[in-house]
Amino acid sequence: MSNQRSTSRDEDLLLQDFSRNVTTKSRALFSGNAAVVSAIPLWLFWRIHQMDFSSYFIHFILGTIVSTYFLNLAYQNMKFILKHKIAQKREEAVNREISKIFASDKSANKKDKDDRVLTRKNEVADFEATTFSIFYNNTFYLVCLLVLSFFVLKNFSPTVNYLFSVALSTAMVFLFSTGQK
Amino acid sequence: MFSKTALILLAFISVAYSQTDDEESFLFVTKQTVNRFIVQGKELTIKYGLYNSGPTTVFNVNLNDVHSYPSKYYELLVGTLNPKWERINAGTNLTHVVVLKPKESGISNSSHAIVTYQKSEKNTEVQRTYSSEIGDVYIMTGREYDRRFSSHVIDWILFTAMASPCIVFPFFLWFNSKRKYELLASKDKTTKKAQ
């Protein structure tokens, strides 16, 4: 009975490890971040390109929604790819960490310890992959957007400038996140 | 026969003399703008130059450019669009400056200014001449001017302040975790080596 329970628990852990699905908390974090990062440049467009909200609000809303959606996907893609790489790297360190904790506890068996290591490794890899993915994608997106909007498309009309810079930088971030192996 | 040729010769000489404009002067008038850009709601400076190129003085010079800048579209700030001068001496020139403020944006055409003057004090016959024209100019809106030219330093600083948490915070979290585990891994490697 307990054997079956622990096997299904192993399977769950494995599934969780290899699944692309993110937890609700992760999803909320990603969505929130994507929305914030998509909304910040609007301020820049308003102040510097003199695009007032009343005449451009449709463009702004559309652009923000599109970039939020694709940024979200980019975060998830990059996190998934990074998680496995990081998990491999951190295996040894996590092992040591758990061993230290278990050194004082004599009653724990190897199985529990291994479970604990696996869970902890997952947690750490998840955390690091999430934070790095957010950091990297945010930076990439903002840099692309700034370069496109203020250097490449500088002399175009504000509408063209906004739509193209948001579309192109979103596309670049998204494609880059899917391209890595 | 001889008198006829003399007469003809005299006629030729007088015509030739009159064509060298010995006794009359002409006024040349230029009209130009000093601005590089013409912006709605910002000052526009128009400079009129009147040049008396001939040997005699001209009198009662009157420049009229009211028709180029109707008060509906331009506000007059400095100067008058209808100045008068009593005389302009031979070989001298003068400039007249008018400062306007365009009220509307778009393409605007300002035509020639009309200058009238008398060639002599006694002869009241008025000679009319036209200035050069500026032609079609594009008056840009204040917003467009701000967009292109103002420095926006404060805007950039505020943007950097808003965007940095999104970048710095995740980086900080990731970096801390990474350092902690790499330290753990490297410490164990060194203790292993020592063993």
Side-chain angles (χ1 to χ4, degrees):
Chain A
M1 190 65 180
S2 64
N3 222 7
Q4 273 183 342
R5 198 161 43 104
S6 57
T7 323
S8 70
R9 205 173 142 225
D10 281 344
E11 283 171 0
D12 280 342
L13 277 173
L14 271 173
L15 273 173
Q16 196 188 46
D17 200 18
F18 287 101
S19 146
R20 261 186 186 270
N21 294 333
V22 288
T23 61
T24 318
K25 182 182 157 202
S26 227
R27 183 174 291 150
L29 190 68
F30 282 159
S31 304
N33 251 294
V36 167
V37 171
S38 306
I40 287 177
L42 290 185
W43 191 81
L44 212 60
F45 279 98
W46 171 50
R47 293 297 295 236
I48 295 186
H49 289 297
Q50 307 283 326
M51 293 169 76
D52 58 318
F53 282 109
S54 51
S55 34
Y56 288 99
F57 80 101
I58 290 178
H59 306 78
F60 283 166
I61 287 176
L62 194 69
T64 310
I65 289 176
V66 165
S67 80
T68 306
Y69 178 72
F70 282 104
L71 261 180
N72 210 353
L73 287 178
Y75 288 148
Q76 289 174 10
N77 287 343
M78 191 170 258
K79 177 199 161 171
F80 178 70
I81 295 166
L82 280 176
K83 191 171 164 179
H84 295 286
K85 284 193 204 166
I86 293 176
Q88 284 172 345
K89 278 197 221 171
R90 300 280 173 256
E91 182 143 21
E92 206 183 307
V94 170
N95 243 327
R96 304 294 164 212
E97 189 190 5
I98 301 297
S99 302
K100 273 189 204 169
I101 295 171
F102 271 70
S104 50
D105 188 0
K106 305 276 182 199
S107 60
N109 57 8
K110 193 173 184 304
K111 194 78 177 50
D112 281 342
K113 191 186 151 201
D114 282 345
D115 279 347
R116 195 70 192 276
V117 165
L118 190 65
T119 318
R120 183 71 187 146
K121 193 179 74 172
N122 245 349
E123 269 174 25
V124 171
D126 200 81
F127 179 76
E128 279 192 28
T130 306
T131 48
F132 189 78
S133 166
I134 292 177
F135 155 68
Y136 192 85
N137 282 313
N138 282 357
T139 314
F140 193 22
Y141 176 73
L142 285 175
V143 166
C144 272
L145 191 69
L146 291 178
V147 166
L148 280 170
S149 180
F150 293 96
F151 293 98
V152 176
L153 297 174
K154 187 177 171 185
N155 292 317
F156 287 72
S157 78
T159 314
V160 168
N161 193 325
Y162 176 72
L163 291 173
F164 271 84
S165 44
V166 167
L168 286 174
S169 45
T170 305
M172 279 174 73
V173 169
F174 179 65
L175 290 173
F176 187 75
S177 75
T178 55
Q180 279 188 327
K181 283 282 168 188
Chain B
M1 179 73 174
F2 180 70
S3 57
K4 235 191 189 175
T5 33
L7 258 170
I8 295 169
L9 203 60
L10 198 64
F12 266 118
I13 290 169
S14 60
V15 165
Y17 254 90
S18 67
Q19 286 190 342
T20 56
D21 294 331
D22 233 0
E23 293 172 18
E24 292 186 337
S25 290
F26 284 111
L27 258 187
F28 295 105
V29 188
T30 60
K31 171 178 164 179
Q32 61 196 85
T33 170
V34 178
N35 287 38
R36 259 189 85 197
F37 299 102
I38 302 179
V39 186
Q40 173 189 17
K42 291 203 189 320
E43 291 177 359
L44 164 63
T45 308
I46 306 286
K47 190 166 107 169
Y48 301 92
L50 292 91
Y51 305 86
N52 183 351
S53 64
T56 62
T57 313
V58 294
F59 300 92
N60 285 340
V61 183
N62 181 354
L63 184 146
N64 190 341
D65 206 14
V66 179
H67 54 276
S68 294
Y69 301 109
S71 56
K72 186 178 166 199
Y73 298 111
Y74 291 91
E75 189 189 328
L76 184 61
L77 296 173
V78 176
T80 166
L81 285 167
N82 198 356
K84 294 174 174 47
W85 296 274
E86 266 188 29
R87 58 196 296 152
I88 303 180
N89 290 329
T92 57
N93 53 39
L94 57 86
T95 52
H96 177 69
V97 171
V98 173
V99 179
L100 302 156
K101 190 189 277 191
K103 289 182 188 171
E104 294 184 2
S105 61
I107 296 193
S108 150
N109 187 331
S110 62
S111 56
H112 312 277
I114 301 170
V115 177
T116 55
Y117 59 95
Q118 290 172 302
K119 289 192 184 163
S120 70
E121 225 161 351
K122 292 167 196 132
N123 184 1
T124 52
E125 183 193 326
V126 162
Q127 173 77 31
R128 172 188 268 237
T129 184
Y130 295 94
S131 73
S132 62
E133 66 167 345
I134 299 173
D136 283 336
V137 287
Y138 176 64
I139 303 176
M140 61 173 90
T141 58
R143 171 161 271 159
E144 206 178 317
Y145 178 76
D146 273 340
R147 186 185 158 218
R148 280 171 75 183
F149 299 107
S150 78
S151 73
H152 301 292
V153 169
I154 293 180
D155 297 330
W156 280 108
I157 290 174
L158 287 172
F159 170 74
T160 313
M162 285 198 300
S164 5
C166 292
I167 295 179
V168 167
F169 197 57
F171 176 74
F172 190 66
L173 289 172
W174 168 76
F175 189 70
N176 271 350
S177 172
K178 173 182 172 210
R179 199 171 48 171
K180 172 184 165 191
Y181 285 98
E182 279 185 348
L183 214 63
L184 259 173
S186 65
K187 218 190 331 184
D188 290 319
K189 275 193 188 147
T190 51
T191 50
K192 262 191 178 170
K193 267 192 184 170
Q195 284 168 8

